[in-house]
Amino acid sequence: MSIPEEVYLPTEEELTVTEVNLTGNLLKAAAFHYGKACLSENNEFMLCRNELDDPRACINEGKAVTSCALNFFRQVKKSCAGEFMQYANCIDKSSSTSAYGPCRKTQAAFDKCMKDNLNMERAPFDYFARVHVHKTDRPRPLPEPIPHFPDPPVALPEDAPKPPAKYGSRYLFIW
């Protein structure tokens, strides 16, 4: 597929950021706290992606999400590394589905550490299903203009001959 010259493609320097190199069980262990800590950045990024429908326009918002995640995990590593790793290992090794259920004791220890050291409470289970109003400074995108066609086709007259339906009446099965 070819791309015309008018299309702006970001350079590699614009796209290069430090990645969050964590496995799924580590992300799952921190999901409730991370989701609450970086809620504003995540919502801003998703709002940009849904409104503009162009990932190139949301590069800075994506960088803000990555930066927030890196800062969050650095704080967790500095303050609660032991409890966090015990909880993540329990999630990883206690069940084949990485369930939270068997790890409630290590979860409680991690939650207590997060509350004591970082003053972050675990979000309730329905927290992310609730309605949250997101305030943004980005301007609202312009509505898509209604297309104007200079030479619209002329409508068929009412008395134009209509050929019979190719496969019979469409109202055959209505009684």
Side-chain angles (χ1 to χ4, degrees):
M1 181 173 138
S2 62
I3 299 174
E5 266 185 51
E6 303 86 41
V7 174
Y8 166 74
L9 292 176
T11 63
E12 197 156 336
E13 290 80 30
E14 290 177 286
L15 297 175
T16 304
V17 293
T18 305
E19 294 184 11
V20 182
N21 290 323
L22 297 175
T23 60
N25 62 335
L26 295 171
L27 292 172
K28 188 168 183 173
F32 287 92
H33 295 288
Y34 163 73
K36 203 168 173 186
C38 296
L39 185 66
S40 176
E41 289 84 356
N42 289 331
N43 285 347
E44 186 69 29
F45 175 70
M46 293 308 297
L47 181 68
C48 179
R49 286 288 306 265
N50 288 332
E51 281 185 347
L52 301 179
D53 201 24
D54 183 11
R56 297 170 297 179
C58 304
I59 291 174
N60 292 332
E61 287 83 357
K63 287 180 179 182
V65 169
T66 305
S67 174
C68 182
L70 286 171
N71 290 336
F72 171 78
F73 282 108
R74 284 182 187 128
Q75 287 177 346
V76 170
K77 183 178 178 182
K78 190 176 5 171
S79 303
C80 301
E83 293 87 348
F84 177 63
M85 289 308 295
Q86 283 181 344
Y87 182 43
N89 283 334
C90 181
I91 288 175
D92 188 31
K93 297 179 180 175
S94 65
S95 71
S96 61
T97 59
S98 298
Y100 289 113
C103 304
R104 295 298 180 198
K105 288 182 182 177
T106 54
Q107 173 188 332
F110 175 59
D111 289 345
K112 183 179 182 323
C113 180
M114 291 293 287
K115 174 73 174 144
D116 294 343
N117 296 340
L118 297 175
N119 200 22
M120 289 183 172
E121 287 192 30
R122 181 181 185 89
F125 283 116
D126 68 335
Y127 181 78
F128 299 107
R130 296 178 192 162
V131 175
H132 297 276
V133 177
H134 177 70
K135 305 279 187 206
T136 182
D137 295 332
R138 285 187 319 103
R140 193 175 278 218
L142 298 174
E144 196 170 307
I146 299 172
H148 172 70
F149 301 105
D151 55 345
V154 180
L156 287 175
E158 289 297 321
D159 59 346
K162 296 178 184 167
K166 188 173 181 181
Y167 298 107
S169 173
R170 68 173 68 170
Y171 301 110
L172 180 67
F173 297 104
I174 297 178
W175 296 96

Coordinates of all heavy atoms in Angstrom, one line a residue, residues 23-33 73 84 87-88 91-92 95 97-100 110 122:
T23 N 5.5 -8.0 33.0 CA 4.7 -9.1 32.6 C 3.2 -9.0 33.0 O 2.9 -8.1 33.8 CB 5.2 -10.5 33.2 OG1 5.2 -10.4 34.6 CG2 6.7 -10.7 32.7
G24 N 2.4 -9.8 32.5 CA 1.0 -9.7 32.7 C 0.6 -9.9 34.2 O -0.3 -9.2 34.7
N25 N 1.3 -10.8 34.9 CA 0.9 -11.0 36.3 C 1.3 -9.7 37.2 O 0.6 -9.4 38.1 CB 1.5 -12.2 36.9 CG 3.0 -12.2 36.9 OD1 3.6 -11.5 36.1 ND2 3.7 -13.0 37.7
L26 N 2.4 -9.0 36.8 CA 2.7 -7.8 37.5 C 1.7 -6.7 37.2 O 1.3 -6.0 38.1 CB 4.1 -7.4 37.1 CG 5.3 -8.3 37.5 CD1 6.6 -7.8 36.9 CD2 5.4 -8.3 39.0
L27 N 1.3 -6.6 36.0 CA 0.3 -5.6 35.6 C -1.1 -5.9 36.3 O -1.8 -5.0 36.8 CB 0.1 -5.5 34.1 CG 1.3 -5.0 33.4 CD1 1.1 -5.1 31.9 CD2 1.6 -3.5 33.7
K28 N -1.4 -7.2 36.4 CA -2.7 -7.6 37.0 C -2.6 -7.3 38.5 O -3.6 -6.9 39.1 CB -2.9 -9.1 36.7 CG -4.3 -9.5 37.2 CD -4.7 -10.8 36.6 CE -6.1 -11.1 37.1 NZ -6.7 -12.3 36.5
A29 N -1.5 -7.5 39.1 CA -1.4 -7.3 40.6 C -1.5 -5.8 40.9 O -2.1 -5.5 41.9 CB 0.0 -7.8 41.1
A30 N -1.0 -5.0 40.0 CA -1.1 -3.5 40.3 C -2.3 -2.9 39.6 O -2.4 -1.6 39.8 CB 0.2 -2.9 39.8
A31 N -3.1 -3.6 39.0 CA -4.2 -3.0 38.1 C -5.1 -2.0 38.9 O -5.3 -0.9 38.3 CB -5.0 -4.1 37.5
F32 N -5.5 -2.4 40.0 CA -6.5 -1.5 40.7 C -5.9 -0.2 41.2 O -6.4 0.9 41.0 CB -7.1 -2.3 41.9 CG -8.1 -3.3 41.6 CD1 -7.7 -4.6 41.4 CD2 -9.4 -3.0 41.3 CE1 -8.6 -5.6 41.0 CE2 -10.3 -4.0 41.0 CZ -9.9 -5.3 40.8
H33 N -4.6 -0.3 41.7 CA -3.9 0.9 42.2 C -3.5 1.7 41.0 O -3.6 3.0 41.0 CB -2.8 0.5 43.0 CG -3.1 -0.1 44.3 ND1 -3.7 0.5 45.3 CD2 -3.0 -1.4 44.7 CE1 -4.0 -0.3 46.3 NE2 -3.6 -1.5 46.0
F73 N 5.0 2.7 38.8 CA 5.8 1.4 39.2 C 7.1 1.7 39.9 O 7.6 0.9 40.6 CB 6.0 0.6 37.9 CG 4.7 -0.2 37.6 CD1 4.0 0.2 36.5 CD2 4.2 -1.2 38.3 CE1 2.8 -0.5 36.1 CE2 3.1 -1.9 38.1 CZ 2.3 -1.5 36.9
F84 N 4.6 -6.4 46.9 CA 4.1 -6.4 45.5 C 4.6 -7.7 44.8 O 3.8 -8.3 44.1 CB 4.6 -5.2 44.7 CG 4.2 -5.1 43.3 CD1 2.9 -5.1 42.9 CD2 5.2 -5.2 42.3 CE1 2.5 -5.1 41.5 CE2 4.9 -5.1 41.0 CZ 3.5 -5.1 40.6
Y87 N 2.7 -10.7 46.0 CA 1.3 -10.7 45.5 C 1.3 -11.2 44.0 O 0.5 -12.0 43.6 CB 0.7 -9.4 45.7 CG -0.7 -9.2 45.2 CD1 -1.7 -10.2 45.5 CD2 -1.2 -8.1 44.5 CE1 -3.0 -10.1 45.0 CE2 -2.5 -7.9 44.1 CZ -3.4 -8.9 44.4 OH -4.7 -8.8 43.9
A88 N 2.2 -10.6 43.2 CA 2.3 -11.0 41.8 C 2.7 -12.4 41.6 O 2.1 -13.1 40.7 CB 3.3 -10.1 41.1
I91 N -0.4 -14.5 42.3 CA -1.3 -14.5 41.2 C -0.8 -15.4 40.1 O -1.6 -16.1 39.4 CB -1.6 -13.1 40.7 CG1 -2.4 -12.3 41.7 CG2 -2.2 -13.0 39.3 CD1 -2.5 -10.8 41.4
D92 N 0.5 -15.3 39.8 CA 1.0 -16.1 38.7 C 1.0 -17.6 39.0 O 0.7 -18.4 38.0 CB 2.5 -15.7 38.5 CG 3.1 -16.3 37.3 OD1 2.4 -16.5 36.3 OD2 4.3 -16.5 37.3
S95 N -3.0 -20.3 40.4 CA -4.1 -20.9 39.6 C -3.7 -20.7 38.1 O -2.9 -19.9 37.7 CB -5.5 -20.2 39.8 OG -5.5 -18.9 39.3
T97 N -5.6 -19.6 35.8 CA -6.3 -18.5 35.3 C -5.9 -17.2 35.9 O -6.5 -16.1 35.6 CB -7.8 -18.6 35.5 OG1 -8.1 -18.7 36.9 CG2 -8.4 -19.9 34.8
S98 N -4.8 -17.2 36.7 CA -4.3 -16.0 37.3 C -5.4 -15.3 38.1 O -5.7 -14.1 38.1 CB -3.7 -15.0 36.3 OG -2.6 -15.5 35.7
A99 N -6.1 -16.1 38.9 CA -7.3 -15.6 39.7 C -6.8 -14.8 40.9 O -5.7 -15.1 41.5 CB -8.2 -16.7 40.1
Y100 N -7.6 -13.9 41.4 CA -7.3 -13.1 42.6 C -7.6 -13.9 43.9 O -7.0 -13.7 44.9 CB -8.0 -11.8 42.6 CG -7.6 -10.7 41.6 CD1 -8.4 -10.4 40.5 CD2 -6.4 -10.1 41.7 CE1 -8.0 -9.4 39.6 CE2 -6.0 -9.1 40.8 CZ -6.8 -8.8 39.8 OH -6.4 -7.8 38.9
F110 N -0.2 -6.2 50.5 CA 0.2 -5.2 49.5 C -0.7 -3.9 49.6 O -0.2 -2.8 49.5 CB 0.1 -5.8 48.1 CG 0.3 -4.8 46.9 CD1 1.5 -4.1 46.8 CD2 -0.7 -4.6 46.0 CE1 1.7 -3.2 45.8 CE2 -0.5 -3.7 45.0 CZ 0.7 -3.0 44.9
R122 N -7.0 0.8 47.6 CA -7.4 0.0 46.5 C -8.8 0.4 46.1 O -9.7 0.6 46.9 CB -7.4 -1.5 47.0 CG -7.8 -2.5 45.9 CD -7.8 -3.9 46.4 NE -8.1 -4.8 45.4 CZ -7.1 -5.4 44.7 NH1 -5.9 -5.1 44.8 NH2 -7.5 -6.3 43.8

